[in-house]
Amino acid sequence: GDASTSIEVLEMVEPEPDSRAFKEQTLKKDIANAIVQNRLNAMIQRGNAPFTNASIGSRIYLNHFYYAEISAGSSPENWEKSLSVIEQELRKALEFGFTSYEFERVKRDYLNKLETAVQKASTRDTRDLVRQLIRTINNDRVFKSPQQLKDLYVPMLENLTLDKIHEAFKESWD
């Protein structure tokens, strides 16, 4: 079987109402995570990673727990090397932040996703929609259509800077 290694932070947070500021903060963290994810994927593709898969993410769980995690799966004999590499990648991102090239790539992906969702809006699966609605209500969030999401996030994305993303990422891992 595979070995799994991870570095995590978990903290209690006050439930926060759904707001523009909340969405923007989440977006900044998502963008930062996507950049680190791209770095991890590139290492795997180049074949110079001690792990076979790796992921990074952060989210609020049950409205009260803020959770950030970077993890890797590897063969059992590579778990220490894997832990060392994900720790270095995390430290590098925290210390030096990201490049404009990395940011532009992730921003483009994000904009494409928003656009694709708008184009596919009329063909969405009802069961998926119901699940999304339930999840949104359970998390005390406002449900939005793909067009509303695009209208909300495009200006936010245009206003993001490398510094703002780096700050949000550092906050994730306080």
Side-chain angles (χ1 to χ4, degrees):
D2 271 4
S4 179
T5 52
S6 65
I7 302 163
E8 297 163 17
V9 291
L10 178 67
E11 68 168 326
M12 288 279 296
V13 290
E14 280 302 304
E16 216 180 311
D18 203 2
S19 67
R20 211 187 148 73
F22 176 81
K23 287 240 185 309
E24 192 165 349
Q25 196 53 12
T26 305
L27 177 67
K28 287 186 267 194
K29 290 174 180 178
D30 287 348
I31 296 279
N33 286 332
I35 293 173
V36 177
Q37 185 67 58
N38 285 344
R39 289 177 181 181
L40 296 168
N41 293 347
M43 292 173 85
I44 294 167
Q45 279 155 5
R46 286 196 304 267
N48 60 356
F51 39 80
T52 48
N53 59 71
S55 67
I56 185 167
S58 58
R59 65 194 189 107
I60 291 173
Y61 191 63
L62 300 174
N63 281 328
H64 280 284
F65 299 99
Y66 179 78
Y67 180 77
E69 176 184 43
I70 183 168
S71 62
S74 68
S75 57
E77 63 275 10
N78 274 343
W79 77 265
E80 279 175 275
K81 266 193 219 128
S82 294
L83 183 60
S84 165
V85 171
I86 59 174
E87 195 268 340
Q88 282 163 20
E89 284 303 311
L90 177 59
R91 197 180 290 269
K92 196 165 77 184
L94 288 170
E95 205 169 322
F96 304 111
F98 314 107
T99 68
S100 48
Y101 172 78
E102 290 177 307
F103 173 42
E104 288 305 321
R105 177 185 166 193
V106 167
K107 191 159 91 170
R108 197 172 53 241
D109 291 346
Y110 209 98
L111 289 166
N112 286 341
K113 240 188 277 187
L114 290 168
E115 187 50 51
T116 305
V118 170
Q119 285 163 8
K120 291 188 175 158
S122 61
T123 60
R124 284 180 293 176
D125 181 68
T126 318
R127 279 169 314 207
D128 286 345
L129 267 177
V130 170
R131 272 195 294 269
Q132 278 177 15
L133 261 170
I134 292 169
R135 198 168 48 238
T136 310
I137 294 162
N138 281 344
N139 291 327
D140 222 1
R141 301 290 170 231
V142 180
F143 186 78
K144 289 186 168 52
S145 74
Q147 186 62 54
Q148 287 171 317
L149 287 172
K150 187 183 167 189
D151 295 344
L152 177 74
Y153 284 120
V154 170
M156 274 186 203
L157 281 162
E158 298 307 335
N159 287 321
L160 286 189
T161 63
L162 286 171
D163 281 345
K164 287 182 191 168
I165 297 163
H166 190 204
E167 280 311 306
F169 188 71
K170 287 192 284 196
E171 195 183 286
S172 284
W173 289 92
D174 250 355

